[in-house]
Amino acid sequence: MNDRSNKLLNSTPTRDIQNRIQNFQNHCIHERFESQVQQNPDTVAIVFENQQYTYRELNDRANQLAHYLQKLGVKPEVLVGVCLERSLDLAVGLLGILKAGGAYMALDPSYPGDRLSLMLEDTQAPVLLTQQHLVEALPPHQAKVVCLDAQREIVAEESPENLGRTATPDNLLYVTYTSGSTGKPKGIAMPGRPILNLLDWQLQHYELAEGMKTLQLASVNFDVSCQEIFSTWLSGGRLEMIPEALRKDAVGLSGFIIDRTIHRLFIPAVALQQLVEGFAINQKIPTQLRYVIAGSEQLQITRAIADFFFKLPHCTLHNEYGPSETHVATCFDLPESPQDWPSRPPIGVPIANTQIYLLDDRMQPIAAGDSGEVYIGGAGLARGYLNRPETTAECFVANPFASEKGDRLYKTGDLARYLPDGNIEFLGRIDHQVKIRGYRIELGEVEAALTEHPLVRETVVIAREDIPGDKRLVAYVVLAAEEAFTVNELRQFLQQRLPEYAIPASFVRLDSLPLNPNRKVDRKALPVPPKTRPELSQSYVAPETAIERELASIWQQVLGLEAIGVRDDFLNLGGDSLLATQIINRIRDRFQAEIPLDRLLEESTIAKQTRCLEKLRGLERSPWKLEEGDRDEGEL
């Protein structure tokens, strides 16, 4: 390890860093946005479908909402719930809350009612921004409801003038919820100063020219959306908000990036491969792209990704790391030539005003080359977990290396080590928290939800990667009685309690859980999920026609199962949107026919997809290429 890495490993905040934190520009996000409005009033700030707002228009509407919210009692440290579909209203809502001095808490309309109820109860948000058609689906709550569509004219009666200073950078900015090991999600309380530090670093690290277009891809339930939105607006750029239907459609997403000439893109590392495949299918290269910023989990460089960036000499790839409790903590800029890219790039070095410590279980610095737990210090830390002082005290600990009292470190639970060049290499988790498709999941939360089922006596949930690059959640269950067991029933039960991404792909029934000599569950002894068809509520119906047999073969290859019936549901077999994309690609190659992602997920059985393809065949002269001997005109 060189001098640089030793300094990073054993560093305490230098006087220079302390001075930079103390002299940090003391202007809130909305105040800095307003300075951009003065400089670029007629520049387009946000576009959604066929609608757009200039900086002046967005500012005026956000000001009107802010004045209205203040009359409802919104001020510093007051949380406002935001349950809005993707729209210009969503942008106005977030900015209006900040201008009123409050903080926002996003509520995804697709989340189960139980989860939304818990979040509303935990925050006790006195005001809730939503849309008229979503009101009836919301769980019971005490908040004052403001429908931005139905009450648009009422809000428009307020003044469009700026409100002045309504909060400080030390006031709460947002609360975002992440999985909790007790079975209940926990709210991360993030003040404005850490986000301002991140945004200032971004504006210095990346050359963000006025008018640069950034894709708004992330859900506002996730912290990366804060980077997308506010780094764009604080640099005079244009935010291009993608419709919900395209967010998980790699082919559609790639087409959107090209059509809208997107310059900057934040994307989960696991989705980058899918996006590259989408561009290959479109047979187009997004030559206008300048920055691709990957995050959420370990970035893996495949041949397809390297080849893609070879064709984009003016585009750079960046690997950012940081839990939601600190947002971005480190960054690694990949070298200019993709031929020099490692298959698993490091997570880089700390961003401005941030320190990384790799420590052993006694909170002592590790030896050179050893692995240690990542502790994060500096300007980026959240306050802690909302209404959870004990959990906050466990995870946000006193910094033993600080020269000033009160400095804290966030204990991440991640393992890492220093490389000889001073960069940090991520090595995985030390507990049972996992990331699947970019989503952070506490396995304990999934287990807690599953054991609420009256038939489930014991359960263990783990993440498996039996096929390289295909990480899935697998639930092992021991039933309380010899009752009928179906995957459909367990999935439907969990859909009322968990987001879709946290529902296991496979359910394996066991007579008992394997135990080690210490009488603890031996997770390493849990069996590989069988390739046989899972126990479903519907009977097995074998494929008969040529198209059904072709589709069954495709499904078997993608899902890793030996037999699939024509009435079996794709999701109940362990399918998800990423696997659905593979099915779409193979259908295209085999039949020369295109089934959109949303249509495929709706027509989620082989029987329905067969009818869909038969209808397409009626519109096309020869949409298939069946090998000689496979064609059966009577069946087709």
Side-chain angles (χ1 to χ4, degrees), residues 597-612:
L597 178 63
D598 56 350
R599 179 90 179 269
L600 185 135
L601 293 175
E602 290 175 5
E603 310 284 350
S604 56
T605 67
I606 288 173
K608 291 179 179 178
Q609 289 177 16
T610 297
R611 288 195 293 270
C612 181

Side-chain angles (χ1 to χ4, degrees), residues 164-175:
R165 165 146 292 205
T166 55
T168 74
D170 294 313
N171 287 126
L172 193 64
L173 183 74
Y174 65 71
V175 169

Side-chain angles (χ1 to χ4, degrees), residues 382-419:
R383 288 181 184 173
Y385 301 110
L386 192 69
N387 302 325
R388 295 199 180 190
E390 293 183 359
T391 307
T392 298
E394 290 174 4
C395 298
F396 292 84
V397 300
N399 184 352
F401 311 105
S403 58
E404 294 187 9
K405 188 176 181 180
D407 279 358
R408 301 177 304 156
L409 296 177
Y410 173 65
K411 176 182 168 70
T412 67
D414 290 334
L415 283 174
R417 65 181 176 185
Y418 276 97
L419 298 175

Side-chain angles (χ1 to χ4, degrees), residues 416-435:
R417 65 181 176 185
Y418 276 97
L419 298 175
D421 62 1
N423 281 297
I424 302 167
E425 181 184 26
F426 177 78
L427 299 174
R429 294 288 301 167
I430 63 173
D431 55 18
H432 300 310
Q433 185 185 91
V434 299
K435 280 194 174 179

Side-chain angles (χ1 to χ4, degrees), residues 17 147 158 170 215 289 386 388 399 441 478 486 551 562:
I17 290 176
C147 293
E158 299 291 336
D170 294 313
L215 184 69
L289 261 183
L386 192 69
R388 295 199 180 190
N399 184 352
I441 301 169
V478 178
T486 67
L551 286 175
E562 294 175 348

Side-chain angles (χ1 to χ4, degrees), residues 12 82 123 157 236 264 300 348 369 414 471 477 501 626:
T12 58
V82 178
T123 59
E157 294 176 358
R264 189 172 62 135
Q300 297 188 43
D414 290 334
K471 186 186 292 185
V477 296
Y501 63 78
L626 296 180

Side-chain angles (χ1 to χ4, degrees), residues 290-346:
R290 292 296 175 264
Y291 299 109
V292 175
I293 297 134
S296 295
E297 58 190 314
Q298 175 66 56
L299 175 62
Q300 297 188 43
I301 302 299
T302 63
R303 180 179 294 276
I305 290 175
D307 289 345
F308 174 74
F309 280 92
F310 262 120
K311 301 172 185 175
L312 296 175
H314 302 296
C315 182
T316 54
L317 177 61
H318 307 265
N319 188 27
E320 291 186 352
Y321 160 83
S324 297
E325 288 81 354
T326 67
H327 218 319
V328 176
T330 69
C331 181
F332 179 74
D333 304 327
L334 277 81
E336 290 186 3
S337 177
Q339 66 185 9
D340 299 326
W341 292 358
S343 59
R344 294 170 64 90

